[in-house]
Amino acid sequence: MIPAPPANPWLDAALDRVALEPESVATLFPAVGRHCGRAPLAEGWRTDDAARALLLTALPARAVVGEVRALYRYGDADEKRAVLLALPLLDVGDRCVDLLGDALRTNDTRLVGAALGPYAAHLDDHAWRHGVLKCVFMGVPLSVVHGLTDRADAELAVMLGGFADERAAAGRSVPDDALALLHILRSR
């Protein structure tokens, strides 16, 4: 669910325009931050994220996948993050799962975290496990990983255990949330 941004006449007009002229999203999407702000809304969402997600939900069904892919490809990090947050709210099936793979290859903690939201259900187990391990490695809180304890498995336990052993051997700490998950997985 998209948290409601504050009332904004510019956004209202933009939503109407996108519904009638889907191609207009290419110019409206990047302008959201200037017109709607970037204030925090709900956990993990800012005003610009919510406004951008609303623009994507206003697209006619025939235009969604193409516009989403183009906005992600040509967008800056904030725009890519908004696309990733919006994916589970759009009727795209698994046709945008490659965008998650792209985000997981970055070193941008905002994109990595957003890529492991609800739409990550479309990732295969191997890619999902590596995404979780990347969060641990980068210091992204595991609380951003949607359905973590339900999807975590013995293979992830092996991977986390190896990571923890390497960190211990190097005299480095392991994030508390990763240790807690490892404890849960080993006790199953």
Side-chain angles (χ1 to χ4, degrees):
M1 187 164 122
I2 303 170
N8 183 307
W10 180 89
L11 179 59
D12 294 340
L15 291 168
D16 291 342
R17 185 169 174 207
V18 166
L20 295 172
E21 303 168 32
E23 65 281 355
S24 69
V25 76
T27 56
L28 296 169
F29 202 76
V32 165
R34 290 188 306 277
H35 295 282
C36 299
R38 295 174 175 86
L41 275 181
E43 188 172 327
W45 287 80
R46 298 182 329 196
T47 305
D48 56 329
D49 297 325
R52 286 185 173 115
L54 288 170
L55 286 175
L56 296 177
T57 62
L59 286 166
R62 64 179 160 55
V64 173
V65 172
E67 293 296 343
V68 163
R69 297 178 74 72
L71 291 168
Y72 182 89
R73 180 176 181 195
Y74 298 111
D76 66 16
D78 287 337
E79 294 162 26
K80 288 180 180 193
R81 179 181 133 78
V83 167
L84 296 170
L85 290 172
L87 285 174
L89 308 168
L90 304 172
D91 186 18
V92 296
D94 64 356
R95 293 174 290 174
C96 293
V97 75
D98 60 309
L99 303 182
L100 300 183
D102 180 79
L104 290 172
R105 285 188 297 275
T106 71
N107 288 319
D108 187 323
T109 57
R110 297 167 304 159
L111 296 182
V112 171
L116 289 171
Y119 191 74
H122 293 284
L123 286 172
D124 64 44
D125 291 337
H126 177 78
W128 182 84
R129 285 187 209 106
H130 281 276
V132 172
L133 197 60
K134 185 159 188 171
C135 283
V136 173
F137 183 76
M138 294 178 71
V140 175
L142 291 180
S143 60
V144 303
V145 181
H146 183 78
L148 177 64
T149 55
D150 294 333
R151 191 163 178 189
D153 59 9
E155 182 64 27
L156 181 59
V158 169
M159 294 168 72
L160 281 173
F163 174 81
D165 292 346
E166 287 177 20
R167 298 284 287 201
R172 300 176 77 192
S173 65
V174 177
D176 290 339
D177 57 356
L179 289 174
L181 177 61
L182 186 57
H183 176 72
I184 291 167
L185 293 175
R186 286 180 172 166
S187 65
R188 284 185 181 172

